[in-house]
Amino acid sequence: MERKSYPTDLTDMEWEILATLIPPAKEGGHPPTTDMGEICNAIYYHLKTGCQWNMLPGDFPPRSTVYSYYSKWQGQGVWEKFNHTLGGQVRSELGKSTQPTALAADSQSVNTDQKKGMCMVLTDVKR
């Protein structure tokens, strides 16, 4: 039985790109029996909807399995690779460089001197 399709599911092209970035299973261990594409789809569903892990729809792999991969991949930097790779792919398709050339930061993200309304600017001062 095929499972229901969700808007957060990876496209075939996205899966083709990401499948090569998933770390191989440990040698000598039990071979994985879960479809890694379905693991990714479940994780993306969780991230996009903000649902709790125990509220994942039942047609995804078991939530404990999904969370286990999510946690392991987060520690290994796999998510950073995913985002970097897919982001570069999108930029390339838009005719842009795969690396952004500018950075924007809002005042909520930048540390200040902790005094409301005051921002400390460091300059190179010669004495």
Side-chain angles (χ1 to χ4, degrees), residues 70-124:
Y70 171 78
S71 179
K72 180 171 63 171
W73 290 348
Q74 189 174 32
Q76 294 173 343
V78 174
W79 289 112
E80 288 179 49
K81 290 178 193 173
F82 280 10
N83 289 328
H84 178 75
T85 301
L86 287 179
Q89 181 76 20
V90 168
R91 292 183 60 81
S92 180
E93 288 178 12
L94 294 173
K96 298 180 178 183
S97 167
T98 58
Q99 296 295 320
T101 56
L103 172 70
D106 65 14
S107 62
Q108 298 294 319
S109 303
V110 178
N111 288 331
T112 64
D113 66 351
Q114 302 300 321
K115 293 182 183 174
K116 195 171 187 173
M118 306 254 323
C119 182
M120 191 157 78
V121 177
L122 300 176
T123 59
D124 187 7

Side-chain angles (χ1 to χ4, degrees), residues 29-87:
H30 182 58
T33 56
T34 306
D35 180 347
M36 290 296 115
E38 287 301 296
I39 294 289
C40 289
N41 284 332
I43 292 171
Y44 280 119
Y45 181 91
H46 163 76
L47 294 174
K48 184 67 175 177
T49 64
C51 75
Q52 297 173 352
W53 288 108
N54 65 350
M55 307 258 322
L56 280 176
D59 51 356
F60 282 124
R63 66 178 179 251
S64 59
T65 303
V66 174
Y67 179 77
S68 175
Y69 278 102
Y70 171 78
S71 179
K72 180 171 63 171
W73 290 348
Q74 189 174 32
Q76 294 173 343
V78 174
W79 289 112
E80 288 179 49
K81 290 178 193 173
F82 280 10
N83 289 328
H84 178 75
T85 301
L86 287 179

